[in-house]
Amino acid sequence: MATVTSRDGTRIGFEQAGTGPTLVLVDAAGGFRRFGPMRSLAEHLAGRFTVVTYDRRGRGESGDTPPYAVEREVEDLAAVIEAGGGPAFVHGFSSGAVLALLGAAAGLPISMLSLLEPPIVLDRPREDDLAAEIDELVAADRRADAVEHFPNGIGVPAEITAEMRQAPFFPLLEGIAHTLAYDSRITTAVSHDTLRSVTVPALVVNSESSDDRLRGWATDAATALPQGRHLTLKGEWHGVSDDVLAPALGDFFRGAI
C-alpha cells in the first residue's frame, strides 16, 4: 500500500498492480480495498492495465478530514490519478460511478470513463433527506441502524438486506457508516448540465437482471452524455461478475467497442 495527500491534507491509501495504461477503480457505498468487488475486478484487469484501487475518505487506510464536501472526494480522486502517473481511464460502480462522473465534469485528467449502474435521476428533484437521516443516526451512535437505513432508503430489495446484521462483514460496514451519507450527497450532485459537460468517451453498463429503475438510469445517463454508449451485460441485481465485466471494460478502454 502507498498513500497520497489530497488537497485538504487528507491521507488517501491506494495500491496498484499490473502493467499497461492506468485504470483507476472507484468503489460504491460501503466499498473499500478490504471489502467489495474492486480488488477482485482489479485482479481480472491487471493483465491489460496498471490498475489503481484506493480507499475513499473515511474508509480503510484513508483519513477523513472534516467538514465533508463532495468536492473533497473529487480532489481525492485527482490526487490518486496523479499518483498513478497522470491521465487515466476511470471505472466506477454505483455511487462510485457518479463520483467518477463528477471528476470528469470537474476536468480531471480522465481520458475515458466507464460507469456501472450509476444511480442518476435526471427528471425529478432529489432531496438530500437520506444523508441527513444517516448523519442523525451516526450522531446518536446508532451506526448499525444507519447501515440498514441506507439500503432501505435507496430501494435495495428487502430480501437482500433482511439478514444483513448477521453477516460477517457487518462490523466493517458499521465502522464506515458515516460515509454512507457521503454517497447520498454524491448521487444528488449530478444534473443534466453535469452530464453534458463530460465530453470524454463514456460507457454506461447495466446488468440484464437489475430492475427497470436501474436499467432506466443507465440508459438515460448514456443518452445524456455527449459520447455516451450503453451496454447491457449478463449479471445479477445491481452487479455484473468480473469474468463478464472485465473483458467488456478491457475492450472499451482499448477502443474495441
Side-chain angles (χ1 to χ4, degrees):
M1 188 200 79
T3 61
V4 65
T5 302
S6 192
R7 184 175 180 180
D8 72 343
T10 302
R11 183 191 72 253
I12 302 297
F14 75 98
E15 61 186 272
Q16 61 186 46
T19 57
T22 301
L23 168 58
V24 177
L25 306 183
V26 186
D27 268 301
F32 58 108
R33 285 177 301 140
R34 287 178 54 205
F35 177 74
M38 290 308 190
R39 182 179 293 276
S40 176
L41 180 60
E43 292 171 355
H44 280 73
L45 291 164
R48 304 176 71 177
F49 303 94
T50 298
V51 186
V52 180
T53 53
Y54 75 103
D55 294 334
R56 287 174 51 192
R57 65 172 51 208
R59 315 177 190 191
E61 301 298 324
S62 291
D64 194 14
T65 305
Y68 178 79
V70 173
E71 291 78 10
R72 302 294 82 74
E73 289 224 55
V74 172
E75 291 167 0
D76 299 345
L77 178 56
V80 170
I81 291 173
E82 183 177 0
F89 303 138
V90 175
H91 168 72
F93 171 42
S94 195
S95 55
V98 182
L99 175 56
L101 185 69
L102 291 170
L108 302 192
I110 297 172
S111 51
M112 298 177 76
L113 186 66
S114 67
L115 313 170
L116 176 57
E117 296 198 345
I120 298 170
V121 181
L122 292 173
D123 295 324
R124 63 177 174 85
R126 298 187 68 189
E127 301 298 331
D128 205 20
D129 293 343
L130 181 58
E133 291 162 1
I134 292 169
D135 285 340
E136 290 177 5
L137 289 169
V138 171
D141 200 26
R142 297 172 56 193
R143 300 181 76 89
D145 292 335
V147 172
E148 286 192 334
H149 186 59
F150 179 78
N152 292 333
I154 62 173
V156 175
E159 59 270 21
I160 294 178
T161 61
E163 299 180 358
M164 181 179 291
R165 287 205 191 210
Q166 285 70 49
F169 57 77
F170 193 77
L172 288 175
L173 296 180
E174 283 186 276
I176 60 170
H178 61 290
T179 68
L180 299 173
Y182 303 172
D183 288 276
S184 182
R185 292 185 169 94
I186 284 169
T187 58
T188 60
V190 176
S191 66
H192 282 281
D193 287 343
T194 306
L195 292 172
R196 283 192 288 263
S197 72
V198 176
T199 58
V200 299
L203 178 69
V204 187
V205 180
N206 67 264
S207 165
E208 65 181 13
S209 297
S210 289
D211 55 57
D212 291 344
R213 180 188 59 161
L214 288 167
R215 297 198 307 269
W217 290 344
T219 301
D220 291 347
T223 300
L225 288 161
Q227 292 200 67
R229 310 175 199 180
H230 178 241
L231 181 64
T232 296
L233 295 175
K234 182 178 180 180
E236 62 273 12
W237 183 86
H238 199 35
V240 176
S241 65
D242 296 337
D243 60 346
V244 174
L245 180 61
L249 296 184
D251 288 345
F252 169 67
F253 289 126
R254 294 291 191 174
I257 60 172

